[in-house]
């Protein structure tokens, strides 16, 4: 029997006669976790159930980012923007680079800035004040080459 999946709310999945029901998914606040209840038949004909919990990779990264301080987030955003600049330079000079790195780095920057904005909202900072703080932060940023560039320079000089 072919596996069928009812789209929409992940209603049920039938695999060789066994039905799989989607147990928990919050329709209002999906947090990247999905648990699926799968009944299976053990030896002796007894039925036992398995719960599979899957967490999105971005949720793991968000946990790590939320543990960072504001200064660490700011420093890592500056480093990631430096890495983006290095990738753009490699692209322009037709050197070898991974095109998937552009998207990965941009998403990491966005996650960090999102966490920073969440913290501002918790403090009651409105959008206008946030932009003023961002301008001040950008003025005080000391631009330095990213760590990945230092390793590239060492590799080329060796």
């Amino acid at each position: 029997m072919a596996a069928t999946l009812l789209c929409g709310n992940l209603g049920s999945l039938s695999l060789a006669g066994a039905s799989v029901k989607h147990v928990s998914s919050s329709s209002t606040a999906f947090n990247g976790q999905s648990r699926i209840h799968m009944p299976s038949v053990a030896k002796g004909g007894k039925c036992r159930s398995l719960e599979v919990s899957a967490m999105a990779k971005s949720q793991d990264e968000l946990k790590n980012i939320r543990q960072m301080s504001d200064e660490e987030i700011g420093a890592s955003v500056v480093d990631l923007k430096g890495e983006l600049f290095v990738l753009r330079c490699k692209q322009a000079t037709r050197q070898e680079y991974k095109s998937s790195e552009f998207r990965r780095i941009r998403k990491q920057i966005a996650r960090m800035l999102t966490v920073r904005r969440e913290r501002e909202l918790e403090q009651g900072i409105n959008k206008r004040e946030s932009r003023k703080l961002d301008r001040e932060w950008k003025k005080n940023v000391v631009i330095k080459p990213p760590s990945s560039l230092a390793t590239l320079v060492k590799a080329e000089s060796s």
Side-chain angles (χ1 to χ4, degrees), residues 9-13 20-26 30 33-37:
N9 63 354
L10 293 176
S12 67
L13 172 70
V20 177
K21 296 178 185 173
H22 190 67
V23 171
S24 67
S25 168
S26 174
F30 180 72
Q33 292 185 349
S34 132
R35 291 182 7 178
I36 300 174
H37 177 73

Side-chain angles (χ1 to χ4, degrees), residues 82-130:
E83 288 185 27
L84 262 180
F85 177 75
V86 169
L87 279 176
R88 280 192 218 105
C89 288
K90 283 184 176 183
Q91 184 182 30
T93 57
R94 296 183 181 184
Q95 295 177 8
E96 253 185 58
Y97 68 96
K98 289 186 179 178
S99 59
S100 62
E101 289 294 306
F102 283 107
R103 184 175 185 217
R104 185 187 64 80
I105 292 174
R106 281 196 314 262
K107 284 190 172 198
Q108 281 181 337
I109 292 171
R111 285 186 192 109
M112 290 184 184
L113 294 177
T114 300
V115 170
R116 192 171 87 181
R117 180 63 183 141
E118 286 174 354
R119 290 179 184 172
E120 289 175 352
L121 288 173
E122 288 173 0
Q123 296 171 357
I125 298 174
N126 64 20
K127 198 177 210 179
R128 186 175 187 157
E129 292 171 2
S130 174

Side-chain angles (χ1 to χ4, degrees), residues 32 46 60 72 85 90 103 116 134 157:
K46 294 183 181 177
D60 289 336
E72 291 173 339
F85 177 75
K90 283 184 176 183
R103 184 175 185 217
R116 192 171 87 181
D134 193 41
S157 64

Side-chain angles (χ1 to χ4, degrees), residues 70-84:
D70 290 336
E71 293 80 22
E72 291 173 339
I73 289 176
S76 57
V77 166
V78 170
D79 288 341
L80 288 172
K81 286 190 176 189
E83 288 185 27
L84 262 180

Side-chain angles (χ1 to χ4, degrees), residues 59-78:
Q59 292 295 319
D60 289 336
E61 290 181 25
L62 275 176
K63 283 183 182 179
N64 295 336
I65 293 170
R66 286 195 171 103
Q67 293 172 355
M68 297 168 75
S69 68
D70 290 336
E71 293 80 22
E72 291 173 339
I73 289 176
S76 57
V77 166
V78 170

Side-chain angles (χ1 to χ4, degrees), residues 119-158:
R119 290 179 184 172
E120 289 175 352
L121 288 173
E122 288 173 0
Q123 296 171 357
I125 298 174
N126 64 20
K127 198 177 210 179
R128 186 175 187 157
E129 292 171 2
S130 174
R131 287 185 179 162
K132 285 181 183 178
L133 291 172
D134 193 41
R135 270 187 249 125
E136 291 298 318
W137 176 76
K138 285 180 181 178
K139 286 179 185 175
N140 296 326
V141 170
V142 177
I143 299 173
K144 59 181 181 176
S147 58
S148 63
L149 183 64
T151 57
L152 287 174
V153 171
K154 286 180 185 177
E156 287 178 5
S157 64
S158 303

